Amino acid sequence: DIQMTQSPSSLSASVGDRITITCQASQDITKYLSWYQKKPGKAPKLLIYDGSNLETGVPSRFSGSGSGSVFTFAISSLQPEDVATYYCQQYDSVPFTFGPGTTVNIK
Amino acid sequence: EVQLVESGGGLVQPGRSLRLSCVASGFTFGDYAMSWVRQTPGKGLEWVSSISWNGGTILYAGSVKGRFTISRDNAKNSLSLQMNSLRPEDTALYYCAKGGTTSCFSRLDVWGQGTTVIVSS
């Protein structure tokens, strides 16, 4: 199975800050990685797919980059509504594993 | 509006069975792969199973293989998950999710609100 790790596990930043989250796969997954936003009591929401493609309707302050085994997710200007847990998921090979999540809070 | 609505969750004893359902609306159901993903209490997300647009490809996580069966009825816009030999570790909120393409190897771009399964004696 491909193991997914995320760093940091949590972070606090000020409104307007740029934040980044790193997701590392235990082997090459080419570009097949998605990023999801999860708020308590809400369904996960797709933000980024195929490593860097912004899902329709998602604000442009969200972005993704990377390929192979290391990927980066960024929020260019953190907003209060971005408080959530963010998960990466690989869909290159079965099982389609998720990372452990990164909790983002406002400082 | 694209929507997925799950049902069928509940409290069940270990070793018993439960069947989850998901009804889709707002898109051409038969054009997309579908999946089940669960979130265990206080933990993260775990992919459970996926089925391609026509049911030709079916995939399972190792933790449920041989116990769970995914199926779909494109005429009824519905997805199901038959869960047998349930274990306490299957306790979770189960989400139905739409794939971005016909293939199981795809992003999950629409999610339902989930249905809760509790396995306990």
Side-chain angles (χ1 to χ4, degrees), chain B residues 29-103:
Chain B
F29 181 75
D31 283 353
Y32 299 94
M34 296 294 296
S35 296
W36 291 97
V37 175
R38 66 188 181 186
Q39 183 170 29
T40 49
K43 293 190 176 181
L45 299 170
E46 179 186 14
W47 170 79
V48 173
S49 181
S50 296
I51 184 168
S52 63
W53 67 284
N54 62 354
T57 299
I58 289 177
L59 304 170
Y60 296 102
S63 58
V64 307
K65 196 168 187 178
R67 300 187 298 122
F68 289 12
T69 302
I70 191 172
S71 60
R72 66 188 297 159
D73 184 336
N74 288 345
K76 296 183 178 179
N77 292 345
S78 69
L79 177 74
S80 297
L81 185 68
Q82 177 67 40
M83 304 186 296
N84 298 333
S85 303
L86 281 162
R87 304 167 180 169
E89 55 264 36
D90 295 318
T91 294
L93 177 61
Y94 284 75
Y95 291 103
C96 166
K98 169 187 169 291
T101 71
T102 57
S103 169

Side-chain angles (χ1 to χ4, degrees), chain A residues 32 34 36 38 41-46 48-50 55 87 89 91-100, chain B residues 35 37 39 43-47 50 59-62 93 95 104-114:
Chain A
Y32 300 115
S34 290
Y36 300 91
K38 178 72 173 71
K42 300 285 189 180
K45 177 183 178 182
L46 174 67
I48 302 290
Y49 65 95
D50 290 352
E55 173 69 351
Y87 295 92
Q89 184 209 15
Y91 44 96
D92 178 76
S93 63
V94 180
F96 302 140
T97 41
F98 286 87
Chain B
S35 296
V37 175
Q39 183 170 29
K43 293 190 176 181
L45 299 170
E46 179 186 14
W47 170 79
S50 296
L59 304 170
Y60 296 102
L93 177 61
Y95 291 103
C104 295
F105 294 79
S106 178
R107 62 197 181 272
L108 302 173
D109 60 7
V110 179
W111 297 62
Q113 289 301 309

Side-chain angles (χ1 to χ4, degrees), chain A residues 23 26 63 82:
Chain A
C23 177
S26 59
S63 66
D82 300 335

